[in-house]
Amino acid sequence: MSGTVITDLRRRGAVDPGRLLAGPLRGVGLRRLDPGRRTEVAADGVEHALYVTAGSGLAELPDGAVHPNQPDHQDRQDRQDHPERAEVGLPLVEGTAIVLPLGSRTVLTAGTAGLEYFHAVLAVPPSSEEGDPR
């Protein structure tokens, strides 16, 4: 098993795979949010993959963000006037996976039991095509 590295993410929390791998993986780790805590995950220059391993929570758009399926100003005003019509976000439970492509973001909020998730950060190679965000 020469060159093989085994890491207990529950004890260590996060690992820098760049020391061992040449691919786009830039960070991996097990993250925890205490009950009711929030954190924003932004795909600025990188992409993210999240996999819920325990607990529950919610993934929402950050404050002021516009849902891509509802960009119209009237829809935004209607949601402000009628909050019950607003999207509540994506429920997170064990086994849920979320991928954040380049330029996207989300806010994770832990439920009453907290939230534990595996988090991978991937580099995005520069694009040679103008106008392409990659």
Side-chain angles (χ1 to χ4, degrees):
M1 284 186 25
S2 177
T4 300
V5 176
I6 298 173
T7 303
D8 182 351
L9 292 178
R10 292 206 185 274
R11 288 177 59 186
R12 183 138 182 228
V15 175
D16 176 7
R19 297 180 303 128
L20 303 168
L21 304 174
L25 198 55
R26 293 297 176 252
V28 294
L30 199 56
R31 311 279 173 138
R32 290 178 189 84
L33 283 177
D34 290 332
R37 301 288 292 183
R38 298 168 56 94
T39 189
E40 183 170 339
V41 181
D44 296 330
V46 294
E47 295 182 327
H48 298 271
L50 310 171
Y51 181 81
V52 177
T53 55
S56 65
L58 194 64
E60 303 171 280
L61 290 171
D63 290 339
V66 176
H67 190 284
N69 293 336
Q70 298 176 337
D72 184 73
H73 172 73
Q74 182 60 40
D75 286 342
R76 285 195 311 268
Q77 185 63 46
D78 189 48
R79 287 193 310 273
Q80 288 174 351
D81 293 342
H82 303 281
E84 68 278 5
R85 294 185 194 165
E87 292 190 28
V88 294
L90 174 70
L92 301 175
V93 295
E94 186 175 332
T96 304
I98 301 174
V99 176
L100 284 97
L102 190 63
S104 63
R105 52 190 354 101
T106 190
V107 175
L108 305 176
T109 304
T112 56
L115 180 67
E116 178 186 81
Y117 58 97
F118 177 80
H119 186 176
V121 180
L122 299 112
V124 177
S127 173
S128 60
E129 296 180 31
E130 193 169 319
D132 183 358
R134 293 181 188 222

